[in-house]
Amino acid sequence: MLKVQNASFSYLENTPVLKDISFEIPQGTHVSIIGESGCGKSTLLKLLYGLHDLNAGEIFWKDEQILGPAYHLVPGFEHMKYVAQDFDLMPYTTVAENIGTYLSNFYPEEKQQRIHELLEMVEMTAFADVKAKLLSGGQQQRVALAKALAREPEVLLLDEPFSHIDNFRKNALRRNLFSYLKKENITCIVATHDRTDALSFADSTIVLQQGKLIAQNDSKDLYQNPPNKYIASLFGEVNELPARLFPEIDASTETILIYPHQLKISGTSDFKVTVQQSYFKGSHYLVLAKYEGKLVFFESLEGLEVGVLTGLEVIKT
Ligand code: ADP
Ligand code: MG
């Protein structure tokens, strides 16, 4: 269990970056940390790894307290690995050697076997003998992941781990990586701005806003019942519309949050919007329209002409 109790931290006096954060993460769970840029995601990961000293509060992994540099000459913890937003590889060393950095030379065969396994997982086998500095950003990111996993950590902390990796590879890599981590019961915490990381691969999600933890919940619950617009919008476009437009929904609030895929065109609805733009998304169009001067997003199988007036209704789920 990773336990964070009332943790507060600031880089500069009088400007708190993280405020009274508490949460617990059971061993083997995958958790994503989401929130707008600058809300403190990277800082939180660094604190979990002991790279800074807390101003208040405590962090524990199992029975061991995670302490910062004031108490620890060498930062970091044996049972944890942290992959920063700027992955640090040895530029003049090959991919294979980088991955093997933390592996013992006493067992050369096992070492080669392990490097080979990890190269396959991150789909970098063909680059084993290439020097790290010659790789693209995305390739370096994949090598940094493999390096962090070489000596299986108990906890893996990843900061925007797929940000440089193209979509085509990203999905395969995520599937490989997260199923491996589950199999080995490795606890994984990912700071991310990619909703797929949270929705498809995290058991639960922590939401930060201006240094405060405002939600921790099952990722699916958080998406399906977002407590507010800030949280919903971290998962993509969302509409905040007057509840009176949807008399069929039993709402206790004045406005309700509706995702674009929850709206559909209706010939009979009195809720009429004017189309501004249609964006082709492959399987559908995302249509941007206006209602009483405010933007409304909905999905449509067909692109719609600019200026068309169309009725919308909510899809009952
Ligand atoms: P995120 O990863 O969510 O984008 P960060 O944790 O990087 O957010 O940053 C949180 C806040 O702390 C921001 O306001 C940022 O400017 C500030 N910050 C980050 N690193 C430092 C630093 N080394 N010194 C001073 N302020 C910092
Ligand atoms: Mg960051």
Side-chain angles (χ1 to χ4, degrees), residues 200-212:
S200 306
F201 297 102
D203 302 307
S204 69
T205 291
I206 285 173
V207 186
L208 296 183
Q209 185 177 25
Q210 294 177 355
K212 288 197 181 131

Side-chain angles (χ1 to χ4, degrees), residues 27-156:
Q27 187 167 3
T29 336
H30 292 177
V31 174
S32 65
I33 303 175
I34 61 173
E36 64 195 346
S37 175
C39 68
K41 302 182 293 295
S42 296
T43 305
L44 180 54
L45 286 188
K46 288 176 189 167
L47 291 172
L48 296 178
Y49 194 55
L51 293 183
H52 296 298
D53 295 300
L54 291 173
N55 297 126
E58 292 173 329
I59 301 173
F60 285 91
W61 169 244
K62 296 181 177 167
D63 296 329
E64 184 182 17
Q65 185 166 9
I66 308 291
L67 294 165
Y71 305 87
H72 250 261
L73 235 40
V74 183
F77 281 79
E78 203 194 326
H79 301 305
M80 294 193 176
K81 275 284 176 291
Y82 161 68
V83 183
Q85 254 171 310
D86 50 349
F87 15 95
D88 78 300
L89 298 175
M90 297 174 288
Y92 298 100
T93 305
T94 67
V95 164
E97 285 170 280
N98 264 289
I99 293 177
T101 307
Y102 301 122
L103 295 174
S104 162
N105 287 322
F106 277 115
Y107 308 100
E109 269 176 34
E110 282 84 347
K111 181 170 173 170
Q112 287 317 312
Q113 174 57 30
R114 182 75 181 133
I115 291 174
H116 176 74
E117 242 172 60
L118 291 159
L119 280 168
E120 286 205 327
M121 183 196 298
V122 298
E123 299 184 331
M124 286 292 287
T125 310
F127 295 86
D129 300 322
V130 175
K131 289 198 171 62
K133 71 170 183 129
L134 299 175
L135 302 176
S136 72
Q139 290 168 334
Q140 292 191 20
Q141 204 161 28
R142 284 187 272 152
V143 175
L145 274 173
K147 179 180 161 187
L149 283 171
R151 279 182 59 185
E152 266 185 20
E154 292 178 350
V155 181
L156 185 63

